[in-house]
Amino acid sequence: MMAEHAAVPVAVHLDHGDDFKKLKQALDMGFTSIMYDGSALSFEENAAGTQIAVELAAPYGASVEGEIGAMGREEFKSVGEGEGNEAAESCYTDPDQAETFTSLTGIDALACSFGTVHGLYLKKPNLDLDRISRIRDKVALPIVMHGGSGISDEDFYQCIKRGVRKINYYTYLAKAGGMYVKEKTANAEDVVFYHDVTLWGVEAMKKDVLHTIKVFSGMEQKES
Ligand code: 13P
């Protein structure tokens, strides 16, 4: 409903879907894109599941994102890798596998692992930028970055330059809102009203989004 009433085009996307019933439900509701995340499965199972998602989405004209590689703690467990929330290189997307996966499944966008992870970064992320270029050379599809919030503006420019076209961005946006609320509450002299708390959160997140839009569109270079 909010997307329909927005003044700008809005993509409504189901992230990390692994249940076909839920994917179908989202498509019936009018989602414009879905993600099938079979990255915790074997390559063959992931490809087979992603193919089903592509078939499901076709009649709706919705696009499908698939994933090769791992970018979150849960996924690391399944491949027995990763320390804290750091992605071990063995979880990174293999360009040859990405090519085979793409031609097998017919997806529209590919989520890749090259050093970003979901959630708060415990250590400064060390991105394998060259891997993005090598994947792009093999796969003529938009590359999706998960765990997008929390990296530097310069890293965003470099990733976008090499082929990243969709960025999943949440944790540090929520942190910006939460930390501002924390600051305002700590400095409040007397009563704190809940309606002010929500406004402070939105205000800080709006500022973060405005900055991010400028960075992603290349309007504001080298701020970090
Ligand atoms: P962050 O919350 O780490 O920014 O990642 C969001 C994401 O990738 C959702 O799929």
Side-chain angles (χ1 to χ4, degrees):
M1 188 189 77
M2 287 167 82
E4 273 165 14
H5 288 96
V8 292
V10 177
V12 183
H13 175 73
L14 179 88
D15 202 21
H16 294 287
D18 57 3
D19 174 339
F20 297 115
K21 246 164 84 185
K22 290 239 173 70
L23 292 181
K24 170 91 172 55
Q25 200 183 351
L27 292 163
D28 284 336
M29 286 171 71
F31 278 48
T32 53
S33 64
I34 55 172
M35 175 190 192
Y36 177 76
D37 180 0
S39 60
L41 306 171
S42 69
F43 178 85
E44 290 75 19
E45 289 169 320
N46 185 3
T50 308
Q51 265 170 330
I52 296 173
V54 169
E55 280 162 25
L56 267 179
Y60 297 85
S63 55
V64 178
E65 176 183 336
E67 176 175 331
I68 282 280
M71 288 155 295
R73 288 191 192 94
E74 286 307 310
E75 296 156 310
F76 295 158
K77 272 187 222 152
S78 69
V79 289
E81 297 287 353
E83 185 186 306
N85 75 338
E86 237 187 297
E89 287 215 19
S90 56
C91 301
Y92 286 9
T93 305
D94 174 70
D96 291 324
Q97 250 195 6
E99 185 182 25
T100 314
F101 185 78
T102 304
S103 58
L104 274 176
T105 56
I107 49 169
D108 304 285
L110 181 66
C112 292
S113 172
F114 47 86
T116 57
V117 287
H118 291 120
L120 291 173
Y121 286 98
L122 305 178
K123 266 198 202 165
K124 191 178 177 291
N126 181 20
L127 306 186
D128 185 350
L129 297 171
D130 183 53
R131 189 173 295 261
I132 306 174
S133 308
R134 288 193 286 123
I135 297 168
R136 265 297 280 184
D137 286 346
K138 303 244 171 191
V139 174
L141 285 181
I143 291 178
V144 181
M145 175 199 284
H146 281 248
S149 65
I151 71 167
S152 70
D153 290 355
E154 179 57 26
D155 278 340
F156 280 128
Y157 300 131
Q158 294 305 328
C159 293
I160 293 167
K161 205 167 104 183
R162 286 167 173 80
V164 166
R165 287 294 176 273
K166 170 172 173 277
I167 300 175
N168 289 14
Y169 186 97
Y170 174 70
T171 297
Y172 283 73
L173 168 68
K175 185 181 163 207
M179 294 310 280
Y180 188 57
V181 167
K182 192 177 171 193
E183 182 192 319
K184 293 287 275 185
T185 309
N187 293 334
E189 288 192 356
D190 194 6
V191 184
V192 172
F193 293 104
Y194 176 70
H195 55 254
D196 284 331
V197 169
T198 58
L199 289 178
W200 295 331
V202 169
E203 190 188 325
M205 290 194 289
K206 188 172 170 183
K207 219 169 130 194
D208 187 272
V209 168
L210 283 171
H211 171 75
T212 306
I213 289 173
K214 285 183 187 159
V215 172
F216 290 0
S217 62
M219 281 163 68
E220 206 158 295
Q221 298 224 345
K222 310 251 184 270
E223 261 215 357
S224 59

